[in-house]
Amino acid sequence: MTREEKFMQEAIVLSQNGITQNDGGPFGCVIVKDDKIVGRGSNTVTSSNDPTAHAEIVAIRDACKNLGTFQLEGCEVYTSCEPCPMCLGAIYWARPKIIYFANTRQDAANIGFDDSMIYDEISAAICDRKIPAIHLGREEALKVFINWKNKTDKTLY
């Protein structure tokens, strides 16, 4: 078994443990740095009443806490399923060097986890989206952006 397969097996075990313990859906993720697991997560959406508690998000939070950083440069993500749009965005913000995944988004859709509507919404014009989005308060909000732009002691990310 390769090192990559070993870490993927860890993610798959987490996905099974999550459903065995009734924590949430069948998804697991580990984050690896320097051949060591630094973050673990399984889907806990239903047990935590948190729609963002997908395995990848939970693992990213765990890894960042354990590493004391808000980015995962040099890390590898092993996830039991191709990341959904939310998790893919979070992974890109975390900046790991690679993503390994087992099941595909079609495999997930086949068991009731179909993200195609979200993919469609991302590419739709704001006025055509299923949940209305109203543009409001830009003038005041821009003042905060200007404050950020001019802040000399900010931490960039």
Side-chain angles (χ1 to χ4, degrees), residues 33-45:
K33 184 166 187 166
D34 300 326
D35 285 331
K36 180 181 177 227
I37 295 175
V38 295
R40 289 179 167 79
S42 62
N43 181 293
T44 61
V45 168

Side-chain angles (χ1 to χ4, degrees), residues 72-92:
L72 298 176
E73 291 176 9
C75 291
E76 303 168 26
V77 175
Y78 293 82
T79 182
S80 66
C81 188
E82 182 179 355
C84 75
M86 175 184 70
C87 292
L88 187 61
I91 289 168
Y92 271 83

Side-chain angles (χ1 to χ4, degrees), residues 20-76:
T20 301
Q21 297 168 9
N22 289 320
D23 288 334
F27 306 97
C29 180
V30 296
I31 297 177
V32 174
K33 184 166 187 166
D34 300 326
D35 285 331
K36 180 181 177 227
I37 295 175
V38 295
R40 289 179 167 79
S42 62
N43 181 293
T44 61
V45 168
T46 57
S47 62
S48 66
N49 293 320
D50 180 353
T52 69
H54 290 199
E56 297 89 339
I57 303 294
V58 173
I60 288 168
R61 290 174 179 159
D62 188 43
C64 288
K65 180 184 76 170
N66 292 333
L67 294 172
T69 182
F70 56 85
Q71 293 184 332
L72 298 176
E73 291 176 9
C75 291
E76 303 168 26

Side-chain angles (χ1 to χ4, degrees), residues 85-157:
M86 175 184 70
C87 292
L88 187 61
I91 289 168
Y92 271 83
W93 280 117
R95 296 182 176 98
K97 66 180 180 179
I98 194 165
I99 305 165
Y100 296 96
F101 66 94
N103 291 316
T104 67
R105 72 169 91 160
Q106 186 57 55
D107 296 329
N110 291 342
I111 62 163
F113 294 92
D114 188 353
D115 297 326
S116 61
M117 184 274 290
I118 297 171
Y119 286 102
D120 293 343
E121 287 289 287
I122 289 169
S123 61
I126 290 175
C127 62
D128 293 331
R129 292 184 180 164
K130 294 182 185 342
I131 298 176
I134 310 300
H135 191 190
L136 180 68
R138 181 170 183 249
E139 188 174 313
E140 286 299 310
L142 275 175
K143 291 175 186 176
V144 178
F145 273 17
I146 291 167
N147 290 340
W148 172 259
K149 182 179 177 183
N150 295 330
K151 185 174 172 63
T152 58
D153 62 342
K154 62 189 165 202
T155 300
L156 296 176
Y157 61 98

